[in-house]
Amino acid sequence: MAQIKITQTGSRIRQTARQKRTLDALGLRRMHQSVVLNDTPQIRGMVAKVSHLVAVSATDAAPAAKKKAAKKAAAKKPAAKKAAAKKSAAKKTATKKTATKKTAAKKTTAKKTAAKKTAAKKADAAPAAEADSKE
């Protein structure tokens, strides 16, 4: 099927809500953004409603086929590369886990030392309070 390239050339500011929804339906979100769609009567009708905001040009189906072929070729990476990528990801997560364990250990030791200090202060304060009460 033939395809057309639609580019938003006008701003959607100060346009009616219906025209904004039409631009959204065409997949146009911002100025100078382009989309390639099938040339159907429905698409042509939407383009006619916002013709003052868009520019239309015909495209060849061949570039789309080339892009698909390139994606397929990229998807067929050698197994060795995929395995190496998994190993490096595993190493990264392992280092993150050990780092979090170390910080957790530091926090617990800090809490323990703080508890010891408060216990020591209470112990020092207790004999003084007993001495005051005896007098």
Side-chain angles (χ1 to χ4, degrees):
M1 175 171 262
Q3 293 188 326
I4 55 172
K5 181 178 181 180
I6 306 167
T7 304
Q8 183 177 345
T9 57
S11 174
R12 63 192 306 143
I13 298 173
R14 296 188 185 164
Q15 304 304 321
T16 63
R18 187 173 184 170
Q19 290 171 345
K20 290 177 185 179
R21 288 195 310 264
T22 302
L23 288 172
D24 288 339
L26 288 170
L28 298 169
R29 305 286 191 265
R30 54 190 166 271
M31 292 278 296
H32 308 293
Q33 181 183 3
S34 297
V35 292
V36 177
L37 300 172
N38 290 332
D39 190 9
T40 63
Q42 294 83 2
I43 298 295
R44 286 287 181 175
M46 287 192 278
V47 168
K49 293 290 184 181
V50 291
S51 61
H52 59 289
L53 299 174
V54 297
V56 180
S57 61
T59 61
D60 296 330
K66 286 182 182 178
K67 285 183 181 180
K68 286 182 182 179
K71 284 183 182 179
K72 285 182 181 178
K76 294 181 180 179
K77 285 185 178 180
K81 287 186 179 181
K82 287 183 180 179
K86 285 183 182 179
K87 285 181 183 178
S88 64
K91 285 182 182 179
K92 287 180 184 178
T93 55
T95 55
K96 285 182 183 179
K97 287 180 182 178
T98 55
T100 55
K101 285 182 182 178
K102 288 179 182 177
T103 55
K106 287 181 183 178
K107 288 179 183 178
T108 55
T109 54
K111 286 181 182 179
K112 287 179 182 177
T113 54
K116 285 181 183 177
K117 287 181 182 178
T118 55
K121 284 184 183 178
K122 287 181 182 177
D124 289 343
E130 287 178 14
D132 290 338
S133 64
K134 287 182 181 177
E135 289 177 3

